Amino acid sequence: MAEPEWLTPVEHDAWMALAELLFRLPAGLESQLQRDADLAMADYMVLVMLSERDDHSMRMSELASSASTSQSRLSRIVARLEAAGYVTREMAPDDRRAVIATLTETGSAKLVAAAPGHVAQVRRLIFDRLTPAQVLSLTDIAGALAHPDDPASCDLST
Amino acid sequence: MAEPEWLTPVEHDAWMALAELLFRLPAGLESQLQRDADLAMADYMVLVMLSERDDHSMRMSELASSASTSQSRLSRIVARLEAAGYVTREMAPDDRRAVIATLTETGSAKLVAAAPGHVAQVRRLIFDRLTPAQVLSLTDIAGALAHPDDPASCDLST
DNA sequence: CCGAATTAGTTGACGCGTCAAATAAGTTAG
DNA sequence: CTAACTTATTTGACGCGTCAACTAATTCGG
């Protein structure tokens, strides 16, 4: 609260660079996936999160936070993926409010087909442009910034 | 092309952290601006870019690339900002295809009113969570990643 | 000069994400 | 037991961004 009201020049540069990244990088990743696999990044992430589970299943609410989206957005995404045959939805046996989304065989195949192109794009746009040291540094920085609403991670200066 | 097809574990961690950042940070910034100033980030950026010019004016196409958006998106943004009274549009005298957007007094005032809250949020979500060294590092990394379609910045390994 | 190609900007149709409200099923306190 | 609260998910309305098509002005080749 006693912080200065404006940014220092160094902070300003960092913020401008980050803002540009925030606008442009998603577009570059999105367009490859859309073009080659007809999937949005968020769709792809949802498929990935499901595929990483042994049973290829997850509750909607857990899936939403894994994929970093809102519940209502996830609901629409899964509805689309279900319509495309990539996932199924069923009531959870233990808690009848909950819904379990499950990746289908078709969905697995879709992911297997889409992954190489996407990974290549990630490599092109990100790792080909960074030194190994920068990759490590990026991991720390992104980890520190990835939870906007987490109060524990800020104001460590006391 | 001879690159490995998948990511190394270190790269995977970095990518996951960055992906989370890419999904969550914009939402955290966007919501404050929307709530307190009824502006989207992209709207705000457009106003900022105009305000940084001496004459508070810029061509649409230049404004689009400064604000890192597509032309058609910018066209809609400026239409909204014009309807709100924050900018005006007029034909360029030298090239009659071009349109010059100009920030109005009302638009300047809006920006002055919105800036402190936004800057505070940027500080909360970004700079309060990074060491000075990380801020420098972020500037370099974001600079390297901010131009997805720039062929000059990749594949320097030859 | 003239016609083809390029550049600048806008717009209609469409799909997606957000917000708030709705539904429904657990949970808790008296 | 039940009324109030919380949690899980969906959905209607609405605004925004994207894509492709369109208008119009400038430039380029011959």
Side-chain angles (χ1 to χ4, degrees), chain B residues 59-61 71-72 75-76 89 97 99:
Chain B
R59 283 180 69 139
M60 292 295 280
S61 47
Q71 272 202 153
S72 85
S75 187
R76 310 232 187 239
R89 279 191 287 192
R97 291 169 303 179
V99 171

Side-chain angles (χ1 to χ4, degrees), chain B residues 9-40:
Chain B
V10 169
E11 287 171 342
H12 185 261
D13 290 351
W15 167 230
M16 284 298 140
L18 178 58
E20 211 174 334
L21 174 74
L22 256 24
F23 275 99
R24 304 189 116 117
L25 187 54
L29 294 165
E30 205 83 59
S31 69
Q32 178 278 326
L33 261 179
Q34 195 67 62
R35 177 167 39 76
D36 297 348
D38 193 37
L39 290 174

Side-chain angles (χ1 to χ4, degrees), chain A residues 120-142:
Chain A
Q121 184 74 345
V122 167
R123 182 169 292 292
R124 248 193 309 280
L125 300 188
I126 301 171
F127 299 110
D128 283 352
R129 299 166 186 232
L130 298 177
T131 66
Q134 284 178 320
V135 172
L136 294 177
S137 190
L138 173 60
T139 308
D140 290 344
I141 292 170

Side-chain angles (χ1 to χ4, degrees), chain B residues 106-145:
Chain B
T106 311
S108 276
K110 178 70 177 178
L111 192 52
V112 168
H118 173 67
V119 169
Q121 184 75 346
V122 167
R123 181 170 293 291
R124 247 193 309 280
L125 299 188
I126 302 170
F127 299 109
D128 283 352
R129 298 167 187 231
L130 299 177
T131 66
Q134 284 178 319
V135 172
L136 294 177
S137 191
L138 173 60
T139 308
D140 289 344
I141 292 170
L145 303 184

Side-chain angles (χ1 to χ4, degrees), chain A residues 24-93:
Chain A
R24 304 189 117 118
L25 188 54
L29 295 165
E30 205 85 57
S31 68
Q32 179 278 327
L33 261 180
Q34 194 68 61
R35 177 168 40 77
D36 297 348
D38 194 38
L39 290 173
M41 269 289 281
D43 298 357
Y44 183 86
M45 282 298 183
V46 166
L47 296 178
V48 168
M49 292 305 153
L50 287 175
S51 76
E52 287 182 349
R53 290 300 173 102
D54 285 343
D55 56 358
H56 283 188
S57 292
M58 217 183 300
R59 284 180 70 140
M60 293 295 279
S61 47
E62 195 189 355
L63 190 48
S65 70
S66 306
S68 304
T69 84
S70 67
Q71 275 201 160
S72 85
R73 185 181 181 184
L74 179 74
S75 186
R76 310 229 187 242
I77 289 171
V78 172
R80 287 198 300 275
L81 294 176
E82 187 179 38
Y86 301 148
V87 306
T88 58
R89 279 189 287 191
E90 54 187 329
M91 264 183 43

